[in-house]
Amino acid sequence: MSQAPAALPGEPRVDLAAARSHGLTAAEFAAIERLMGRTPTFTELGVFSVMWSEHCSYKSSRKHLQTLPREGPNVIGGPGENAGAIDVGDGWVAVFKIESHNHPSYVEPYQGAATGVGGILRDIFTMGARPIASMDSLKFGAIDHPRTRYLVNGVVGGIGGYGNCVGVPTVAGELMFDPGYNGNILVNAFALGLARREDLQSARARGVGNPVLYVGSATGRDGIHGASLLASAEFDAGSEAKRPTVQVGDPFTEKLLIEACLEAIKTGAIAAIQDMGAAGLTSSSSEMAGRGGLGVELDLDRVPLREANLSPYEILLSESQERMLIVAEHGREAELAAVFERWDLHAVVIGRITGDGRWRARFKGQVVADIPVAAISDDAPLYDRPAAPPAPLRDSSSPRLTTAISRPDPAAALRALLASPNVASRRWVFRQYDSLVLSNTVAGPGGDAAVLRIKGSRRGLALKVDSNPRACAIDPYLGAVATVCEAARNVACAGARPAAITNCLNYGNPERPEIMWQFVRGVAGLRAAARAFATPVISGNVSFYNETEGRAIPPTPTIAIVGTFADVSLNVKHYFSFPGDAIVLVRTAAPSLAASEYADLFGAADDALTPIDLGRERRLLDGLVECAQRRLIRSAHDVSEGGIAVALAEACFNPAAPAGAEIVPDAIDASVAAWFGEGASSVILSLPAENLKAIHEIFAPLEVRSIGRVTAAPRLKIGRQIDEEVAALMRLYEDALPGRLGRHD
């Protein structure tokens, strides 16, 4: 039992009611009192509330996340560090991660999205890697919902404003509109950086007596309880009042912090480093000490403040942005401080590493918190929550739901799909982002995957982020498998071999058995696909409580995959370029209208998803990579939203000069599902006719069908049913999103 620290004058009484107001349950409060041997002080209650929150402790998900494959021959760092890292050759390491900033972005869209970008960038350069690319996955409510335009403008503005100012390109992303997100949008931010292997850093504290340095911006009151009471609770009618818990970002300071940290790392004087993210100074200090099996003592009087009279509770829980915590090698703190001072950033020794395994904070000469490090870094509750499918799925006799069905002619359906907000060009969004800064971008937004060069090497990277909430709502397992397949397929279409996964698992309230069932099945699907493709899950994030007044979002596991090129010059475009090339369809199974954009627009029976054979999916990926390496194909485009007809149209949208395509009659089955179905994996290739035999051999035993040819005349002709000017289709495709959002600038 430790001696109780001092309670400060005027602090609220600590009891069960206070604990509940901090998001803790009665059982959790009782467990805290048992661990401490006493009732915690108000400051200590705040510390437990953030560190035992869902957002920080993963108390509902850790059991299941531990089943994911994490190891691989190229994996250098995985879960437990700030981000995952893989060896990509020639001494280079790619460091990447994706995280959510959902609730903050709904409450305050500009700053919520901006600080989501800033936070994920800090996770990357904390590892010693220079950030070179970011992506985003955005989910909004129905496009005609009265709040959607405001949220879209704010989120897109925040991503662009922060990323453009800090000088990191946004190279890819995804965007979806669906009524399921009317009350709870999703903003998932991804970042990737490059480091030399010898420069990789750890967040594991070491060295009893080593000084602890606070560097970066000063601390304010913004973001207090962002992790525990905003990100770890569902929305209600009063959520607008939570705006003060959203952090405020400063990208110009972040740019200085990037340069200062990377310079400081080169000195060799850093023993450990971590971003002050969710739960701020509390989480960064306790997690670094916990990883190292050590203790830490903090002097809060030395913390730089931008507001007077902050209490210990506020200093410890603030989530002010652009701040880092460093454990320095003993005697070298002045050397590090000099680096940060050159960049006009705070660098102050605020504590030291101890060997007693305790997390201790002092304020005005008094100990105000004294907690076993393990109690807040490792010993948060671990729940195995009940999981059960919703009643209609448990009862096999329940009738299937259907929606009103209309069947426009194929040409009208194609035009409607190209103008759909979920299919149409995202140019209005990505033209607000700088995708070329740093000059690593070979292929940016608008294609199947982004492609990056690694300067000074022939090597390169491909990256893509995907999700499929409609499929996951029908079958959480198959939907998650399909999402991994799509992300991997996009990377392979660019010619890169999928190497590793990071994920952001977005679900509703895990205390509801049907939501927990969705999550457990989603993790199982992710696990199966990751193993099949030998793509370990090296980092990620879980975002629960994405619901408003009991209405949960569709289950939305977001998957980002990074692939590698031995020679980046072998990257493959997604559009047709050479008249006379053969057009080939390769697929693993027949498509289906289930969970398709066509079904959403025109209605369809609520059919089950098509089963997925992961062995055939792996064959498709391997074949695409081999085709690229042997220079057998000129383009490869994934068939996704809108089906084959939309994929053919998009492949004609060559940005240099629109191409045409002529698909021979009966080459594609004369059915709505064949033309506009999704689900099973399909790709459209273009290639010289003399390579057809090799293509059949590479993809066997998959279905490989020559369906037509690329034409110089920019018309899309599909059998006898569709004959459209490509320019007219492009206008529909490009104008739809700004037209629906009322933006024509």
Side-chain angles (χ1 to χ4, degrees):
M1 181 187 301
S2 64
Q3 183 178 355
L8 299 179
E11 282 187 332
R13 172 189 172 92
V14 175
D15 54 18
L16 179 56
R20 288 186 184 280
S21 73
H22 279 69
L24 296 164
T25 66
E28 289 168 349
F29 184 57
I32 290 167
E33 291 188 310
R34 285 195 302 272
L35 280 168
M36 298 286 284
R38 57 178 171 80
T39 298
T41 65
F42 184 69
T43 297
E44 291 171 331
L45 179 67
V47 167
F48 273 104
S49 75
V50 292
M51 296 306 295
W52 283 22
S53 69
E54 191 70 60
H55 188 77
C56 291
S57 73
Y58 285 49
K59 56 191 174 186
S60 299
S61 60
R62 290 203 315 272
K63 173 181 182 291
H64 305 286
L65 297 177
Q66 290 166 357
T67 68
L68 294 173
R70 300 179 178 184
E71 304 298 328
N74 297 326
V75 177
I76 297 172
E81 289 289 351
N82 287 290
I86 59 171
D87 187 333
V88 296
D90 295 340
W92 289 104
V93 174
V95 178
F96 56 93
K97 187 181 182 182
I98 189 170
E99 282 198 340
S100 62
H101 230 224
N102 302 334
H103 285 183
S105 299
Y106 184 80
V107 172
E108 212 311 301
Y110 186 96
Q111 290 296 346
T115 53
V117 173
I120 198 67
L121 291 176
R122 289 193 296 280
D123 282 337
I124 301 308
F125 67 81
T126 294
M127 296 281 291
R130 177 174 294 280
I132 64 166
S134 65
M135 301 190 291
D136 51 75
S137 174
L138 310 178
K139 299 288 184 291
F140 296 100
I143 197 165
D144 55 357
H145 187 275
R147 191 173 167 85
T148 293
R149 186 182 302 180
Y150 161 74
L151 291 170
V152 170
N153 289 336
V155 167
V156 170
I159 292 170
Y162 203 99
N164 295 351
C165 290
V166 82
V168 176
T170 302
V171 298
E174 64 161 1
L175 170 67
M176 182 180 184
F177 299 90
D178 187 272
Y181 303 99
N182 280 350
N184 196 126
I185 66 172
L186 300 184
V187 176
N188 295 173
F190 167 101
L192 177 143
L194 284 176
R196 300 301 293 175
R197 184 162 184 165
E198 62 270 19
D199 290 335
L200 274 184
Q201 297 295 298
S202 174
R204 183 184 301 272
R206 57 182 170 82
V208 173
N210 273 347
V212 175
L213 274 72
Y214 171 118
V215 303
S217 292
T219 293
R221 288 189 170 91
D222 55 316
I224 294 174
H225 279 301
S228 59
L229 298 184
L230 182 60
S232 300
E234 62 187 68
F235 281 151
D236 55 31
S239 292
E240 285 293 319
K242 297 177 180 177
R243 185 168 294 189
T245 64
V246 178
Q247 310 96 319
V248 178
D250 180 353
F252 300 104
T253 298
E254 179 104 339
K255 175 61 175 173
L256 298 177
L257 192 60
I258 291 173
E259 301 304 330
C261 284
L262 294 178
E263 181 180 333
I265 286 166
K266 293 289 187 183
T267 68
I270 292 179
I273 180 171
Q274 180 160 332
D275 166 40
M276 289 192 220
L281 180 55
T282 293
S283 63
S284 55
S285 58
S286 63
E287 288 172 357
M288 282 203 294
R291 292 187 190 104
L294 298 168
V296 63
E297 184 168 287
L298 303 173
D299 182 353
L300 302 184
D301 294 318
R302 297 181 62 81
V303 173
L305 304 179
R306 66 169 182 258
E307 299 178 56
N309 303 319
L310 263 66
S311 69
Y313 178 101
E314 293 170 321
I315 294 169
L316 289 167
L317 271 61
S318 169
E319 294 179 12
S320 293
Q321 296 290 284
E322 293 86 42
R323 304 179 303 158
M324 311 285 277
L325 201 66
I326 291 174
V327 178
E329 298 289 358
H330 184 69
R332 302 189 69 180
E333 52 268 40
E335 183 180 348
L336 289 174
V339 171
F340 286 93
E341 286 164 8
R342 280 199 300 274
W343 290 97
D344 200 24
L345 295 169
H346 294 288
V348 180
V349 175
I350 65 164
R352 64 186 182 92
I353 298 300
T354 66
D356 62 2
R358 300 196 69 82
W359 183 89
R360 192 175 293 111
R362 297 182 182 275
F363 183 73
K364 297 189 183 305
Q366 300 182 88
V367 175
V368 294
D370 190 346
I371 304 170
V373 166
I376 49 177
S377 65
D378 299 314
D379 294 341
L382 178 60
Y383 294 130
D384 186 4
R385 296 194 185 277
L393 292 178
R394 290 197 299 265
D395 182 2
S396 60
S397 65
S398 297
R400 285 184 173 175
L401 300 174
T402 59
T403 57
I405 297 174
S406 63
R407 286 290 179 264
D409 68 75
L414 174 61
R415 291 192 296 269
L417 284 162
L418 289 171
S420 163
N422 290 328
V423 174
S425 169
R426 274 78 178 105
R427 188 178 305 277
W428 175 81
V429 174
F430 66 68
R431 68 186 291 271
Q432 299 179 59
Y433 306 152
D434 189 334
S435 61
L436 298 175
V437 64
L438 300 179
S439 68
N440 297 299
T441 307
V442 175
D448 282 37
V451 177
L452 306 174
R453 65 172 58 85
I454 298 177
K455 294 174 182 173
S457 168
R458 296 184 66 85
R459 298 182 182 274
L461 303 170
L463 42 151
K464 185 62 167 67
V465 60
D466 275 302
S467 61
N468 195 335
R470 288 177 182 157
C472 291
I474 294 173
D475 185 322
Y477 175 88
L478 279 177
V481 170
T483 303
V484 178
C485 289
E486 183 172 1
R489 194 164 62 248
N490 277 297
V491 165
C493 278
R497 184 170 300 282
I501 292 172
T502 181
N503 66 84
C504 191
L505 307 179
N506 305 276
Y507 291 83
N509 184 344
E511 298 165 48
R512 296 166 54 192
E514 65 272 22
I515 300 297
M516 201 63 207
W517 174 80
Q518 291 175 343
F519 176 77
V520 171
R521 295 298 293 155
V523 170
L526 170 56
R527 178 174 64 247
R531 286 176 173 168
F533 300 156
T535 48
V537 181
I538 64 169
S539 61
N541 172 237
V542 176
S543 177
F544 279 134
Y545 297 97
N546 288 291
E547 55 183 77
T548 299
E549 297 180 346
R551 295 187 299 277
I553 62 163
T556 313
T558 301
I559 305 297
I561 291 186
V562 173
T564 58
F565 293 95
D567 184 348
V568 73
S569 70
L570 298 179
N571 75 92
V572 178
K573 307 303 183 188
H574 70 280
Y575 46 78
F576 301 145
S577 299
F578 294 88
D581 274 359
I583 299 174
V584 174
L585 169 66
V586 183
R587 64 186 182 189
T588 62
S592 163
L593 290 177
S596 68
E597 184 67 19
Y598 184 97
D600 187 67
L601 288 182
F602 304 117
D606 189 14
D607 294 327
L609 301 178
T610 303
I612 296 174
D613 183 329
L614 285 168
R616 291 171 67 84
E617 297 295 325
R618 176 66 183 265
R619 183 68 178 151
L620 177 63
L621 300 179
D622 290 344
L624 287 166
V625 175
E626 182 178 350
C627 286
Q629 291 175 342
R630 292 173 56 184
R631 299 182 185 271
L632 294 173
I633 58 177
R634 296 235 174 87
S635 72
H637 185 34
D638 170 40
V639 175
S640 55
E641 293 87 355
I644 291 170
V646 166
L648 287 166
E650 290 173 335
C652 291
F653 298 163
N654 185 320
E662 186 170 353
I663 308 304
V664 300
D666 304 322
I668 300 174
D669 302 339
S671 69
V672 171
W675 288 52
F676 303 110
E678 301 169 24
S681 293
S682 303
V683 295
I684 299 290
L685 309 178
S686 67
L687 56 140
E690 60 265 27
N691 294 344
L692 282 170
K693 183 175 184 294
I695 294 294
H696 280 269
E697 292 171 351
I698 287 171
F699 287 105
L702 305 183
E703 178 184 354
V704 182
R705 186 187 302 184
S706 181
I707 61 174
R709 64 185 182 90
V710 178
T711 63
R715 295 192 71 83
L716 176 61
K717 299 180 180 180
I718 305 179
R720 303 175 186 85
Q721 291 89 352
I722 293 177
D723 185 353
E724 298 280 331
E725 288 186 2
V726 170
L729 297 179
M730 286 184 70
R731 283 194 297 272
L732 279 174
Y733 184 73
E734 296 291 346
D735 294 346
L737 195 57
R740 294 293 298 274
L741 291 171
R743 298 295 297 268
H744 299 282
D745 51 323

